[in-house]
Amino acid sequence: MVEAPPTEEGWFALHDFRTVDWDAWRRAPERERGQAVEEGVAYLERHEQVTDAPAGDSGVFSVLGDGADLLIVHFRPTLDALNTAERRFEQTAFAEYTERADSYVSVSEVSGYVDDSYFDDDAEVDEGLARYIESKMEPEVPDDGYVSFYPMSKRRQPEQNWYQLPFEERAELMSDHGDVGREYAGKIQQVIASSVGFEEHEWGVTLFGDDPTDIKDIVYEMRFDEASAVYGEFDEFYLGRRFPPRDLRAFLDGEPVPTADEQADAETDETATEETGGGPPPGVTGGDGGGDDTADSDDIREALDDLDIYAGKPHGEDVFATVLYSEADTQELFDEVEGLRGNFEHYGTHVKTAVYAGTETARSAVVSIWDTASAAETAAGFLSDLPGVVARAGEESGFGTMGMFYTVKPEHRGDFVDRFDTVGDRLAEMDGHFETDLLVNHEDENDMFIASQWRAREDAMNFFRSDDFRDTVDWGREILADQPRHVFLA
């Protein structure tokens, strides 16, 4: 019997192709067209920001040719999330001016052709391979550029039956096929998603690239390898150009998209990123009802960096937290959070969710930490229904700081708590200080964080720059199991 390679599935994909009823659009009164654009933009922006699920990505593209006018691509961890996204679009006024031209449902997949050791529980998987596979399982839509989508299958003819070849032969052919793809690393991002049992074809292939000729070239070269030349069957190809949701009206008015202003903004952002190495994250340590969030982040990062405290850099290592305060019983709160946490742990962007009990106040904190600000923000929607929630960190009056997470060596826990009491007495004497609490993980008493409330940002900065804080940091190096971590609120 011919061996089937093992597979592992990741996020699901929906490619939703739409044609615009241009006659109906031209006849519609401006008031109705304005409403349609407003609802269409709102839908697209919410899904690009992934407010509908704990993780995922979406993008909208202007399609060239007669196959469709628009393509909306959704990647989500569950098929149910795609189902909801599909139906929510139909509720918008904009949907009344479109008809579905085509659609494709699939699920991202890696198979034993990549590296059979990945599926061996006893084998040690190379870290680079693991990262590569994760990127394939949880695909992203690039912020800019072109997309090509096409469905394909492997041939099952009497003399050309892919599924009757021995595994070793198939693996060698796929390796040769992959060699061509690897030549385009950095130019083309490929998403290979299985549609076996979902669609007429067996895979949906999505190619993203800044230069459309790179897309043409990779497909052309792959046609000459045996896996494609002998065993590949292809259907219609779609080519599109990504544009931001706010350009929907420009698209409908026949203007170039992305608009010139948007392209200039993107170039400016790219230049700034190259010059600064990424810049501060969109989340900040606290809120004061307004002000410059970037300045808050930069000031606190700089102060902590001077003290050799990890503050979310280098870029790419930032994590983002949603923190909700509750006056409910800590055990009751933990029981509720444990159920939600089981769902969060299915997502690769989830870092940690835990309940912390206050030692100076009668409230607890639910802390949910994620790799991305959007995922942390989405998690907040699920956590806001927990019992007894009274506030969200960053939304209090004045200026709040949190995120100084400490893991203490068990033998020094008592020393740490005593030291906090001493520092707390010093804080009580400082101008602009309202409240500071030490919160302890309900599951691990050695895992703690400190939350403070101040009159203004500068009051908090005065403490970060003080000798008392510096001395505490120096003292703590010997009793902490790891360096303090400063996370940023989503």
Side-chain angles (χ1 to χ4, degrees):
M1 179 175 172
V2 177
E3 179 185 357
T7 64
E8 185 169 333
E9 290 69 38
W11 288 355
F12 292 83
L14 172 64
H15 292 68
D16 190 358
F17 295 90
R18 299 276 169 169
T19 57
V20 177
D21 187 339
W22 295 108
D23 290 337
W25 180 254
R26 285 188 291 267
R27 291 193 302 265
E30 177 56 34
R31 177 181 59 82
E32 294 182 8
R33 287 194 287 181
Q35 180 182 357
V37 169
E38 181 179 346
E39 293 187 17
V41 169
Y43 169 88
L44 295 170
E45 286 184 339
R46 282 197 301 270
H47 285 77
E48 284 199 0
Q49 295 164 6
V50 199
T51 62
D52 60 309
D57 207 355
S58 295
V60 59
F61 298 81
S62 171
V63 178
L64 290 77
D66 62 357
D69 296 307
L70 285 171
L71 164 61
I72 306 172
V73 178
H74 297 295
F75 297 126
R76 292 295 186 274
T78 68
L79 201 58
D80 289 344
L82 292 184
N83 188 5
T84 302
E86 182 178 37
R87 288 182 285 110
R88 282 182 178 167
F89 177 81
E90 297 296 351
Q91 305 307 311
T92 67
F94 176 60
E96 297 178 16
Y97 297 94
T98 73
E99 292 185 3
R100 171 168 278 169
D102 200 354
S103 67
Y104 208 87
V105 178
S106 55
V107 60
S108 60
E109 174 189 78
V110 293
S111 71
Y113 296 134
V114 176
D115 190 324
D116 207 30
S117 67
Y118 179 76
F119 299 90
D120 185 351
D121 293 337
D122 297 326
E124 183 175 344
V125 179
D126 177 75
E127 183 178 346
L129 173 64
R131 286 198 301 268
Y132 168 79
I133 289 177
E134 182 179 350
S135 71
K136 296 297 182 184
M137 303 275 276
E138 300 176 359
E140 297 179 352
V141 182
D143 291 335
D144 195 13
Y146 294 85
V147 65
S148 174
F149 173 82
Y150 58 92
M152 65 162 296
S153 297
K154 291 298 188 184
R155 194 164 288 146
R156 290 183 293 173
Q157 302 298 327
E159 301 300 322
Q160 297 169 316
N161 191 333
W162 174 262
Y163 296 96
Q164 288 298 309
L165 295 178
F167 173 80
E168 292 76 9
E169 186 173 347
R170 280 180 278 125
E172 183 177 353
L173 291 173
M174 291 305 297
S175 177
D176 293 342
H177 189 71
D179 288 342
V180 177
R182 282 184 283 275
E183 293 176 4
Y184 287 83
K187 295 181 179 180
I188 296 294
Q189 177 182 323
Q190 303 178 62
V191 179
I192 314 297
S194 174
S195 50
V196 175
F198 296 172
E199 298 279 359
E200 179 180 355
H201 289 81
E202 294 167 340
W203 290 277
V205 180
T206 310
L207 305 176
F208 298 106
D210 291 333
D211 186 340
T213 61
D214 287 334
I215 294 175
K216 186 270 296 184
D217 288 344
I218 188 173
V219 174
Y220 176 71
E221 288 189 41
M222 284 186 167
R223 288 294 173 92
F224 287 89
D225 70 67
E226 189 174 351
S228 293
V230 178
Y231 297 102
E233 293 183 341
F234 305 89
D235 204 332
E236 184 173 2
F237 281 67
Y238 293 92
L239 181 65
R241 176 75 161 93
R242 186 169 186 183
F243 66 90
R246 71 184 188 187
D247 282 356
L248 180 61
R249 184 59 189 256
F251 165 81
L252 293 166
D253 287 346
E255 300 296 330
V257 290
T259 61
D261 289 344
E262 175 66 24
Q263 290 178 358
D265 289 346
E267 291 169 2
T268 300
D269 290 344
E270 183 178 352
T271 300
T273 297
E274 290 174 353
E275 292 176 352
T276 64
V284 297
T285 58
D288 58 1
D292 188 345
D293 289 348
T294 299
D296 293 345
S297 296
D298 286 344
D299 283 353
I300 293 174
R301 283 188 195 273
E302 182 179 352
L304 297 177
D305 185 59
D306 289 342
L307 298 169
D308 195 24
I309 294 177
Y310 176 75
K313 283 206 171 187
H315 182 67
E317 294 182 14
D318 291 319
V319 289
F320 301 85
T322 286
V323 180
L324 298 173
Y325 294 110
S326 171
E327 294 179 348
D329 176 77
T330 303
Q331 184 61 51
E332 176 189 359
L333 189 63
F334 173 76
D335 292 341
E336 294 287 338
V337 169
E338 195 169 24
L340 287 173
R341 183 170 61 184
N343 293 328
F344 291 165
E345 288 173 350
H346 290 294
Y347 304 110
T349 52
H350 180 248
V351 177
K352 174 182 180 180
T353 297
V355 175
Y356 292 76
T359 59
E360 303 295 315
T361 66
R363 65 182 187 179
S364 298
V366 179
V367 179
S368 191
I369 302 176
W370 298 75
D371 283 335
T372 65
S374 61
E377 185 64 40
T378 301
F382 293 93
L383 297 170
S384 61
D385 292 330
L386 289 169
V389 171
V390 293
R392 180 176 175 183
E395 295 180 352
E396 309 100 323
S397 60
F399 181 80
T401 67
M402 60 73 55
M404 293 304 297
F405 284 81
Y406 302 90
T407 303
V408 183
K409 296 176 182 177
E411 63 270 24
H412 291 297
R413 185 183 185 280
D415 297 333
F416 182 86
V417 174
D418 291 342
R419 183 74 177 199
F420 171 80
D421 290 338
T422 301
V423 174
D425 293 339
R426 176 68 184 92
L427 285 170
E429 300 171 357
M430 294 193 67
D431 291 339
H433 175 260
F434 293 155
E435 177 184 83
T436 294
D437 195 8
L438 177 67
L439 296 101
V440 181
N441 190 329
H442 182 67
E443 299 168 273
D444 179 4
E445 66 174 8
N446 300 308
D447 173 21
M448 295 171 260
F449 81 89
I450 296 174
S452 296
Q453 197 66 28
W454 302 81
R455 177 181 55 200
R457 177 174 62 86
E458 188 56 31
D459 295 319
M461 291 307 305
N462 286 336
F463 174 64
F464 282 130
R465 301 186 187 108
S466 70
D467 290 338
D468 287 317
F469 185 65
R470 185 182 302 275
D471 291 344
T472 300
V473 170
D474 290 338
W475 171 83
R477 297 186 197 282
E478 298 301 321
I479 71 153
L480 298 181
D482 198 358
Q483 62 179 341
R485 161 166 269 191
H486 195 273
V487 304
F488 289 81
L489 296 180

